[in-house]
């Protein structure tokens, strides 16, 4: 068998295996001279040849027979522990309709794809133009997971109860459970990947990302993340410019003695409360009001950008489907009362007991550890503060940041431990649907992340009311976290790729194709975007909640994110296995998380305004009691929330052209359904039922 060069990727693999080695297709329109390998199934070492042959037969069988309707290739021989999978044209087209994807018609308008009207769509004869690589590979996974046994049978080569396959049982999940299938991953196309890398992380320009190319190769979820990261990064420019202006041209809060010798506070800037109170407007007031407006405008503009991208990428009308049990779901086999299929069943009350009696106490325990760390931070901060006041040197000023640094390391370590615990807890809760699993896991992590990262800052601001300590804490968080982030996002990936080498570097031109696929399978799986979104959410919190006390927050975040984009792009292209990416119409639950922080920012900035020396001077001059000040602050807070809602309402979530296109798609879909009903009625009238 000939061996393709490593850089030839999927194209070289297609030439190596040859069309005659693939399973046959029955549909004449699906016969092709060249088959595109899309997905690799990794089997266990002890899998028997007859088990592999049976699996290939099920993959190739049509859906009426319980198969996936795909093409399978055995590789070098029947004993080779891998199966290469491709998809014929009709399977791809029918799955496109099932997923509810929009595609361009003959006139170039995006409409919901219908298999019965495929002649009205452009490029339907060329699947590489009609569907992106990521979409074709996800459809293969979608079809594999839809395989179901049509009758009770035994899996060849598997003894005992492990080989028993019940009628209507999911075949793919069964084989994963008994460890016949170890892994499934999409194959990389090295030509396209190298071209994307040159356009993406190797290019010298700072503005913009090749979003369409990212979407074509990696899919919707990855493309939306990088689109949001790019949009968020350049949305930091206005607050960064304002932060520089506030830092160097407007008076700041603080006490002269408290900042004496502080290397992070320029001595040329007035620091006394008196200097602030003598000015009609302070830097803290300007920054607080701007942060409230910026967070609202930013999220509303992102919604518009997200809507435009979902239309352009054909995911604006995705079909909501009844979800199959996720692979990790455990339970006693039984008949699902909704679908009538045989699948694992697990009582809801057992899951609720696990959540209430185990998961919730464990989460509360970790929140208690956060409070314990906060108390330790206050104790160390008091000791170092008294030491600095006694000495007053620049060395003690630098050492005064040591408690913050130690506490930051503690919270990061605690966060890493908690993420693993949250993963295990969510696994143990045994959720049936993938969406329910992700929602519970995300909620656990978000609650802890918010408490772990912001509890100390809220306590300092609203209970201790120490703005100097708040500024010191926030600056320590930003500087240390950015330093660690640059090390992990830029330096470590470069060292790993440069000295340890990726899979392609270990291949030679005379390597057999099996070695090429084995090297690709040896890459670690992509860890997902969860940690990346968490990092951006914490950044957004620092900026929208507390940047008024440290105006350089946006500057530091902007510098970090410029390299973050390239670092993330480099990692996903070079260091990890290519992930499956389902079609997405946006950021999902993460957009709601950012919007919640936007509302919290109104409360935070409103109360921080009360601590501004200028505001305190005004309340003292007016003779207002503390209770009256609090009541006024609550009233102002509610007014600002109302203004935020009005501003959000005034900025439409969709551009007008996207709204019109979406309504046109909905109208065409409704018209098509009505037409089918008319045709069905006409057929019934022409062919009456026999008496």
């Amino acid at each position: 068998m000939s061996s393709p060069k490593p850089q030839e990727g999927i194209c070289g693999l297609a030439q190596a295996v040859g069309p005659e080695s693939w399973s046959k297709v029955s549909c004449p329109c699906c016969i092709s001279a060249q088959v595109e390998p899309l997905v690799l199934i990794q089997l266990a070492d002890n899998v028997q040849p007859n088990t592999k042959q049976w699996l290939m037969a099920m993959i190739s069988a049509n859906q009426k027979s319980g198969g996936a309707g795909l093409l399978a290739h055995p590789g070098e021989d029947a004993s080779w522990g891998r199966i290469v999978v491709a998809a014929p044209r009709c399977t791809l087209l029918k799955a496109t309709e099932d997923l509810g994807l929009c595609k361009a018609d003959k006139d170039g308008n995006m409409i919901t794809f219908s298999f019965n009207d495929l002649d009205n769509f452009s490029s339907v004869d060329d699947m590489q133009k009609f569907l992106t690589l990521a979409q074709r590979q996800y459809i293969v996974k979608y079809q594999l997971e839809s395989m179901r046994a049509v009758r009770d049978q035994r899996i060849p080569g598997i003894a005992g109860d492990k080989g028993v396959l019940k009628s209507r049982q999911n075949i793919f999940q069964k084989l994963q459970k008994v460890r016949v299938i170890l892994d499934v991953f999409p194959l990389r196309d090295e030509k396209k990947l190298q071209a994307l890398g040159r356009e993406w992380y190797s290019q010298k320009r700072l503005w913009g990302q090749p979003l369409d190319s990212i979407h074509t190769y990696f899919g919707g979820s990855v493309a939306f993340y990088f689109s949001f990261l790019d949009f968020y990064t350049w949305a930091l420019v206005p607050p960064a410019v304002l932060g520089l202006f506030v830092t160097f041209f407007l008076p700041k809060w603080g006490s002269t003695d408290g900042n004496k010798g502080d290397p992070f506070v320029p001595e040329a800037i007035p620091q006394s409360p008196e200097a602030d109170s003598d000015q009609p407007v302070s830097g803290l007031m300007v920054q607080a009001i701007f942060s409230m407006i910026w967070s609202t405008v930013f999220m509303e503009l992102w919604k518009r950008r997200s809507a435009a991208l979902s239309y352009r990428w054909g995911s604006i009308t995705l079909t909501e489907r009844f979800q199959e049990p996720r692979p990790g779901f455990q339970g006693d086999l039984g008949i699902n009362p909704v679908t009538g299929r045989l699948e694992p069943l697990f009582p809801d009350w057992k899951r609720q007991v696990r959540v209430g009696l185990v998961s919730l106490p464990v989460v509360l325990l970790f929140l208690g550890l956060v409070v314990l760390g906060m108390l330790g931070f206050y104790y160390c901060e008091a000791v170092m503060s008294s030491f600095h006041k006694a000495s007053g040197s620049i060395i003690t000023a630098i050492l005064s940041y040591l408690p913050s640094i130690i506490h930051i390391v503690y919270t990061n370590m605690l966060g890493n431990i908690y993420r693993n615990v949250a993963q295990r807890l969510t696994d143990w809760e045994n959720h049936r649907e993938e969406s329910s699993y992700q929602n519970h896991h995300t909620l656990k992590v978000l609650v802890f992340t918010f408490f772990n990262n912001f509890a100390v800052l809220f306590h300092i601001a609203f209970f201790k009311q120490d703005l100097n300590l708040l500024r010191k804490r926030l600056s320590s968080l930003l500087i240390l976290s950015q330093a660690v982030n640059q090390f992990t996002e830029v330096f470590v990936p470069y060292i790993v790729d440069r000295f340890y080498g990726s899979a392609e570097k270990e291949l030679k031109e005379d390597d057999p194709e099996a070695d090429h696929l084995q090297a690709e399978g040896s890459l670690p799986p992509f860890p997902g975007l969860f940690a990346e979104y968490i990092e951006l959410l914490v950044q957004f919190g620092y900026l929208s909640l507390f940047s008024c006390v440290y105006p350089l927050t946006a500057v530091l975040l902007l510098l970090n994110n410029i390299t973050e984009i390239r670092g993330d792009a480099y990692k996903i292209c070079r260091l990890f296995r290519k992930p499956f990416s389902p079609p997405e119409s946006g950021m999902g639950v993460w957009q709601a998380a950012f919007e919640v922080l936007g509302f919290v920012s109104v409360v935070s900035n409103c109360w921080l305004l009360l601590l501004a020396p200028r505001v305190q001077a005004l309340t003292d001059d007016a003779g207002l009691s503390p209770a009256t000040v609090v009541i006024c602050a609550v009233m102002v807070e509610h007014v600002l929330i109302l203004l935020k809602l009005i501003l959000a309402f005034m900025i439409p979530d969709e551009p007008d052209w996207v709204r019109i296109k979406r309504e046109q798609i909905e109208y065409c879909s409704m018209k098509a359904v009505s037409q089918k009903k008319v045709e069905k009625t006409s057929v019934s009238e022409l062919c009456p039922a026999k008496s």
Side-chain angles (χ1 to χ4, degrees), residues 377-495:
F377 161 70
Y378 285 143
Y379 175 77
C380 296
E381 180 67 28
V383 172
M384 293 304 301
S385 179
S386 60
F387 185 60
H388 173 54
K389 287 181 179 179
S391 175
S393 65
I394 190 173
I395 296 178
T396 56
I398 296 175
L399 290 177
S400 66
Y401 284 84
L402 189 59
S404 292
I405 295 174
I406 294 175
H407 186 246
I408 291 169
V409 173
Y410 171 80
T411 55
N412 287 338
M413 293 176 60
L414 190 63
N416 291 332
I417 296 173
Y418 176 81
R419 278 191 286 272
N420 292 328
V421 172
Q423 183 84 48
R424 292 178 179 272
L425 283 175
T426 312
D427 289 338
W428 183 68
E429 290 169 3
N430 199 29
H431 296 276
R432 178 186 181 277
E433 297 88 4
E434 184 66 27
S435 61
S436 176
Y437 176 88
Q438 294 297 338
N439 289 338
H440 279 78
H441 180 236
T442 302
L443 181 61
K444 289 186 185 69
V445 176
L446 284 181
V447 170
F448 177 81
T449 298
F450 186 87
F451 201 79
N452 194 35
N453 288 277
F454 303 127
V456 171
L457 298 178
F458 274 110
H459 190 270
I460 294 173
F462 304 130
F463 291 93
K464 296 177 73 71
Q465 297 187 4
D466 189 341
L467 293 185
N468 281 324
L469 180 59
L470 181 62
R471 176 190 53 81
K472 182 188 296 184
R473 171 69 181 184
L474 185 59
S475 61
S476 300
L477 273 170
L478 290 169
I479 294 171
L480 182 62
S481 62
Q482 304 314 313
V484 172
N485 184 68
Q486 292 301 307
F487 178 78
T488 57
E489 297 285 348
V490 179
F491 184 72
V492 171
Y494 174 78
I495 293 297

Side-chain angles (χ1 to χ4, degrees), residues 578-589:
K578 184 183 178 183
F580 285 106
S581 182
E584 300 283 356
S585 58
M587 292 165 52
V589 67

Side-chain angles (χ1 to χ4, degrees), residues 562-627:
I562 290 175
T563 56
E564 171 91 8
I565 293 175
R566 297 177 185 275
D568 287 349
Y570 185 86
K571 288 190 299 182
I572 193 173
C573 288
R574 300 290 296 272
L575 303 184
F576 296 109
R577 200 184 299 166
K578 184 183 178 183
F580 285 106
S581 182
E584 300 283 356
S585 58
M587 292 165 52
V589 67
W590 296 106
Q591 182 163 305
F594 279 90
E595 290 190 85
V596 169
L597 273 186
F599 276 96
V600 177
S601 71
V602 176
V603 181
S604 174
N605 285 284
C606 184
W607 287 96
L608 285 174
L609 278 174
L610 287 179
L611 303 181
R614 178 59 180 165
V615 175
Q616 291 182 341
L618 290 174
T619 56
D620 292 341
D621 294 341
L624 299 177
S625 65

Side-chain angles (χ1 to χ4, degrees), residues 211-473:
L211 296 178
D212 288 333
S213 300
I214 298 171
H215 176 262
T216 298
Y217 189 83
F218 284 109
S221 58
V222 176
F224 269 108
Y225 165 74
F226 280 100
S227 177
F228 179 77
L229 177 58
D230 181 71
F231 186 79
Y232 168 64
T233 298
W234 297 111
L236 291 173
V237 173
V241 172
L242 178 64
L244 292 172
F245 175 79
V246 167
T247 301
F248 295 102
F249 295 100
L250 288 181
K252 293 172 60 179
W253 48 264
S255 71
T256 305
D257 295 338
N259 294 319
K260 182 178 179 181
D262 195 330
F264 297 104
V265 179
E267 295 183 0
I269 301 175
Q271 297 296 318
S272 65
E274 293 76 10
D276 185 16
S277 60
D278 291 340
Q279 300 292 329
V281 178
S282 70
L284 189 152
M285 296 170 63
V286 172
Q287 193 78 20
I289 295 173
F290 178 83
S291 294
M292 288 185 282
I293 298 174
W294 176 86
S295 62
T296 303
V297 174
F298 164 71
M299 286 309 303
E300 294 305 313
L301 293 181
W302 163 249
K303 289 179 185 177
R304 293 171 62 86
R305 178 182 174 90
S306 177
L309 290 175
S310 65
Y311 172 79
R312 190 166 81 192
W313 293 336
S315 57
I316 196 170
T317 59
L318 293 178
T319 303
E320 293 187 7
R321 304 179 305 277
F322 183 81
Q323 297 186 45
E324 298 290 342
R326 64 184 188 87
F329 179 62
Q330 304 290 330
D332 298 328
L333 285 179
I335 301 298
N336 188 310
V338 177
T339 63
R341 296 172 177 173
L342 184 70
E343 63 179 47
L345 300 178
F346 188 78
D348 290 337
W349 67 267
K350 285 188 178 181
R351 183 180 303 109
Q352 293 168 356
V353 167
R354 292 183 177 187
V355 172
L357 298 184
V358 179
S359 296
L360 183 59
V362 171
V363 172
L364 293 176
L365 172 63
F366 274 87
L367 296 182
L369 293 177
V370 173
V371 174
L372 185 64
M374 184 170 61
L375 295 176
F377 161 70
Y378 285 143
Y379 175 77
C380 296
E381 180 67 28
V383 172
M384 293 304 301
S385 179
S386 60
F387 185 60
H388 173 54
K389 287 181 179 179
S391 175
S393 65
I394 190 173
I395 296 178
T396 56
I398 296 175
L399 290 177
S400 66
Y401 284 84
L402 189 59
S404 292
I405 295 174
I406 294 175
H407 186 246
I408 291 169
V409 173
Y410 171 80
T411 55
N412 287 338
M413 293 176 60
L414 190 63
N416 291 332
I417 296 173
Y418 176 81
R419 278 191 286 272
N420 292 328
V421 172
Q423 183 84 48
R424 292 178 179 272
L425 283 175
T426 312
D427 289 338
W428 183 68
E429 290 169 3
N430 199 29
H431 296 276
R432 178 186 181 277
E433 297 88 4
E434 184 66 27
S435 61
S436 176
Y437 176 88
Q438 294 297 338
N439 289 338
H440 279 78
H441 180 236
T442 302
L443 181 61
K444 289 186 185 69
V445 176
L446 284 181
V447 170
F448 177 81
T449 298
F450 186 87
F451 201 79
N452 194 35
N453 288 277
F454 303 127
V456 171
L457 298 178
F458 274 110
H459 190 270
I460 294 173
F462 304 130
F463 291 93
K464 296 177 73 71
Q465 297 187 4
D466 189 341
L467 293 185
N468 281 324
L469 180 59
L470 181 62
R471 176 190 53 81
K472 182 188 296 184
R473 171 69 181 184

Side-chain angles (χ1 to χ4, degrees), residues 198-210:
R198 289 191 297 268
E199 186 182 8
W200 196 1
Y201 57 81
S202 299
Q203 46 101 7
K204 297 181 179 180
R205 59 187 175 92
L206 297 178
W207 185 270
Q209 301 293 304

